[in-house]
Amino acid sequence: MPEMASEALGQNHSILAERLSAVQKQVAQSCAVAGRDPAEITLLPVTKFHGPELVEGLVDLGMRRFAESRHPEARDKARALEGRGALEWHFVGQIQTKKARQIAQYVDAVHSIDREGLVDALATIDRELPLPVFVQVNMTPDEARGGVQPADLDALVEHVLSTPTLALQGLMCVAPLGAEPRASFAKLRELSQSIRSAAPAATSLSMGMSNDFREAIENGATHLRIGAAITGKRPDRT
Ligand SMILES: *Cc1c(COP(=O)(O)O)cnc(C)c1O
């Protein structure tokens, strides 16, 4: 039986390698089409709902940075992978205020800063260097979706900038399901220009997922958060 198990694992591993390399090729192609240098782009495999073995597999394939969206699942995975050298964990999911400080203990960046209360909760974290963060912008009128409304962006950016424990990297969005993603990505890029005088260092754009990363690259994405296209279908959430 152990032999069968390791054969299955080996098979999974080569499927994972194929999916990752297909995505990497598509990223390179989209960069070529857009006249962009692939070195400007950070590919973050989103490993939510998958166990640490899958992350291990990606580490074996040379990946060092990962995105996670759920606490404490993310924390447990970061701990499980501690022996694999310096990995980077990017938190991309909605954050409950009372969990913010715990999350800040194990992540290297947060992409989902969406309100002042969350910034205040992170104002007292104890870190040697400021925590890199992105402000998430909501591209829909639905408040439940996460992200600050564009009209409230400037105030939230100011709040982050006046918080010494945080280092603003740029903006993040999730394109609304079922709509043409280019409009959202172009809008995020425009908003990024509009905060540039207040936040000259906040040049990064975290946008683009499995189904829309090509359009995101066309519109200037610097951080792609790609789940299913690399990991395969997510296991059941229950
Ligand atoms: C799950 C998730 C992703 C990745 O989604 P895929 O469609 O699987 O690529 C990206 N960003 C966030 C915020 C997510 O929660």
Side-chain angles (χ1 to χ4, degrees), residues 46 48 69 92-93 172 174 208-211 225-229 234:
V46 183
K48 65 182 175 208
S69 64
V92 301
M172 179 274 228
V174 175
M209 310 181 8
S210 292
N211 292 326
R225 310 177 314 269
I226 302 187
R234 282 186 272 279

Side-chain angles (χ1 to χ4, degrees), residues 24-130:
Q24 286 168 327
K25 264 186 215 137
Q26 288 161 4
V27 169
Q29 276 164 8
S30 298
C31 283
V33 169
R36 297 189 57 199
D37 179 355
E40 292 170 15
I41 293 185
T42 301
L43 173 60
L44 298 168
V46 183
T47 46
K48 65 182 175 208
F49 302 117
H50 290 279
E53 338 60 72
L54 183 130
V55 185
E56 290 269 0
L58 289 167
V59 171
D60 291 341
L61 293 167
M63 304 306 285
R64 313 295 301 173
R65 300 178 167 114
F66 300 95
E68 283 284 337
S69 64
R70 297 166 18 126
H71 175 79
E73 178 191 325
R75 178 199 62 203
D76 295 345
K77 247 176 270 180
R79 277 188 192 155
L81 273 290
E82 260 167 12
R84 296 303 307 258
L87 303 181
E88 233 176 69
W89 297 93
H90 292 240
F91 201 90
V92 301
Q94 289 189 36
I95 298 181
Q96 282 177 273
T97 308
K98 62 177 193 233
K99 296 285 156 66
R101 289 170 52 86
Q102 286 177 48
I103 291 170
Q105 285 179 0
Y106 63 86
V107 299
D108 300 288
V110 171
H111 291 227
S112 42
I113 299 294
D114 59 0
R115 60 195 189 278
E116 300 204 354
L118 184 53
V119 174
D120 292 337
L122 293 169
T124 56
I125 55 174
D126 184 18
R127 284 175 65 96
E128 217 167 298
L129 293 172

